[in-house]
Amino acid sequence: MNFDELLDQYKAAPRRESAALLLTDPVLLKYCVIFKQVTVERLSDAPAAATWGALWDCVALDLDQIALLADDELVKARKSVERLKGLRLVYPDGTLQELVNKVITKKVMDALS
């Protein structure tokens, strides 16, 4: 199974309940917004196994850039990104779970009204 096929399987079964955490965790929300700004570089199209971790092993993230945009220390940025990945709020192709996008949009609209 290649990268895109495996990714599609995970996208077809999102962990929607994880998105609820964004309503009360401003750090997770901040890192989701930042994740959208960062380029994810695909290193391989062949995951070593049909697992979530193997998908992430096929890509590289610029954690220095994420830390800079978050105005956080690198260790905090790394931990926060690992939380995003573990909760499956973000995907290894650089996209966000659909509900995450909706939460971000709602938060922005509520702040503007």
Side-chain angles (χ1 to χ4, degrees), residues 13-84:
R15 288 187 178 167
R16 290 182 179 92
E17 63 278 6
S18 293
L21 295 173
L22 298 175
L23 301 173
T24 58
D25 190 330
V27 173
L28 276 180
L29 182 62
K30 173 173 88 169
Y31 275 88
C32 283
V33 170
I34 290 167
F35 191 83
K36 292 176 72 166
Q37 315 299 318
V38 178
T39 301
V40 178
E41 180 185 0
R42 191 179 305 186
L43 305 174
S44 171
D45 195 39
T51 65
W52 183 246
L55 268 177
W56 281 101
D57 290 341
C58 292
V59 300
L61 289 171
D62 187 345
L63 287 171
D64 289 324
Q65 182 184 17
I66 292 171
L68 178 69
L69 293 173
D71 194 25
D72 281 336
E73 298 295 323
L74 182 58
V75 68
K76 184 173 181 181
R78 180 174 282 120
K79 177 183 171 191
S80 296
V81 168
E82 288 303 316
R83 286 184 67 208
L84 294 179

